[in-house]
Amino acid sequence: MQRITIAKGDGIGPEIMDATLQIIKAAGAQLEYDEIEVGEKVYLSGNTSGIAKESWDTIIRNKVFLKAPITTPQGGGYKSLNVTTRKFLGLYSNVRPCISLYPFVTTKHPEMDIVIIRENEEDLYAGIEHQQTDEVVQCLKLISRPGCEKIIRYAFEYAKVYGRKKVTCFTKDNIMKQTDGLFHQVFDEIATEYPEIENEHWIIDIGAAKMSDTPEAFDVIVTLNLYGDVISDIAAQIAGSVGLAGSANIGEECAMFEAIHGSAPRRAGQNMANPSGLLEGAVMMLNHIGQTEVAEKVQNAWLKTIEDGIHTYDIYNEGISTQKVGTKEFAQAVINNLGQNPSLLKSVKFAKDAVLNLPKYVRKPAANKELVGVDLFVHWNGTDPNELAEMMQNINTENRHLSMITNRGIKVWPDGFQETFCTDHWRCRFKPTEGKVLHKNDIITLLSGALDAKIDVIKTENLYEFDGKLGYSLGQGQ
Ligand code: NAD
């Protein structure tokens, strides 16, 4: 018997949760429940996070959380409960299977069967943003080695345990050589540990285009947070089944399972909603806790029900569907089909104890880190980079020299183009002069020189080499 936490959420949430629990119970799930309140009522009681402190305690104690969709009230600074939960609980992996149920659910891609594994905690979603000048705001893209290792290993382990043949990595490392470059590099490293699984890398733009056109060319896709957010919605949509897809958020300790759709308030309380998305989330949960046989039984009965043409209004299609049913009747039809397999759709066979082997991250020995320069970012309202270069050279001493100025990444000094558009946000790069070593003190001297000269430095960025390897990007055009 496993104790889990459930939240029935808002809108159609309670109906689809009841249907889901009824089906998995009938299939023999060994579960006990602690129910918590999250969502609209909690938000409107004045709690901007949508969840009470005691509820966190329950989630953390039980470790497994099945959550129905909630309504986030408009305006008023309410925080997304999903984002908060993922980050608080370290749910680094978002797993979203996108499978075509053709011809029973309309899609242009009858052969599609993709699992998207999206990094869930890092990237631009760290939400670290600053306005630095009148004209320029910044969002910090943070990518870590542990973050990359954990998600990429998860993808390969998932492929191994679920009998998948290939893992594809999507990045934009032709442009972001440090951040996306690290993700790609770690992918190549970990792929060598799984020689039985094919691996490939695509640049995200053409990869996403290919996925939208020929999804059957892909199997498991692993990618960074932002790209994963975008492509997982595209994949669910082109599979024809946004309302049918479930999602798992997995961490080292805790995990949360849900439908990908929202609370559909207009359909609430009318016995209309399709419970399939949450049921698919529950199937992933059953696999996660090792109740594999129950998961398999539920999944095959659900596929059989879809194949029988017993459909809720959202997927009802005259000619294909045989019966338009409500939430309760759909759940009953799935229960009636328990123990049966679909005949046209592919039935599933989950490996016994489908448990992924995910060792704890082990920090590597520190590299030899050498300070080799500094970027001073300056708020300056002038237009001629030569003028700024002269000002910056005046605050310099003999140990360092101004090596470059860029504006929005493109080199504008020396030898810039008159045509390049410049904002009020400039990066001035200082390097040590030949034979000299740069110290942190030199940066302080530079900054105090800038202060005396009334130059508005808005941030600095140290340039390092790690074991002799460049730890920063060159200016575009450098
Ligand atoms: P939605 O997913 O609730 O609804 C989009 C459309 O799909 C609607 O026409 C709806 O009727 C239909 N639909 C969705 N799920 C269905 C189901 N199971 N059966 C039948 N029809 C279904 O998206 P929305 O309208 O943009 O958002 C409504 C609320 O849900 C908002 O408050 C939003 O913040 C919230 N939301 C919550 C989650 C979550 O909790 N994970 C996710 C997305 C949106």
Side-chain angles (χ1 to χ4, degrees), residues 12 67 69-72 82 258 261-265 267 273-274 313:
I12 59 170
K67 181 183 140 301
I70 60 162
T71 303
T72 312
N82 270 356
E258 60 186 344
H261 60 73
S263 59
R267 307 293 181 193
N274 188 343
Y313 83 93

Side-chain angles (χ1 to χ4, degrees), residues 2 18 29 36 64 150 164 173 178 204 217 227 263 269 284 288 327 338 344 363 395 397-398 406 419 441 447 454:
Q2 170 121 12
D18 288 344
I36 57 163
V64 176
K150 276 156 62 176
R164 299 264 171 178
D173 68 338
Q178 294 289 328
I204 176 73
Y227 311 142
S263 59
M284 285 194 256
H288 178 77
T327 316
L338 286 169
L344 265 175
R363 183 168 285 168
I395 65 167
T397 67
E398 59 192 22
T406 68
E419 287 74 10
N441 270 344
L447 285 173
K454 300 202 165 23

Side-chain angles (χ1 to χ4, degrees), residues 15-91:
E15 295 161 78
I16 61 172
M17 179 62 87
D18 288 344
T20 298
L21 297 181
Q22 209 188 338
I23 295 167
I24 61 177
K25 184 172 179 215
Q30 298 293 304
L31 294 172
E32 288 173 334
Y33 307 112
D34 283 322
E35 186 177 341
I36 57 163
E37 178 91 59
V38 294
E40 202 171 18
K41 266 200 225 131
V42 184
Y43 281 121
L44 296 178
S45 74
N47 184 330
T48 52
S49 65
I51 178 167
K53 163 84 181 67
E54 310 77 72
S55 301
W56 283 123
D57 298 341
T58 311
I59 293 174
I60 290 166
R61 189 175 61 241
N62 290 337
K63 296 192 169 33
V64 176
F65 181 24
L66 181 64
K67 181 183 140 301
I70 60 162
T71 303
T72 312
Q74 296 285 305
Y78 300 108
K79 306 253 174 11
S80 155
L81 181 63
N82 270 356
V83 175
T84 315
T85 310
R86 284 173 195 163
K87 301 212 65 170
F88 264 162
L89 301 180
L91 309 182

Side-chain angles (χ1 to χ4, degrees), residues 140-154:
L140 210 55
K141 173 158 170 157
L142 287 180
I143 302 295
S144 73
R145 177 168 269 276
C148 295
E149 283 194 12
K150 276 156 62 176
I151 192 68
I152 290 164
R153 190 172 297 287
Y154 188 93

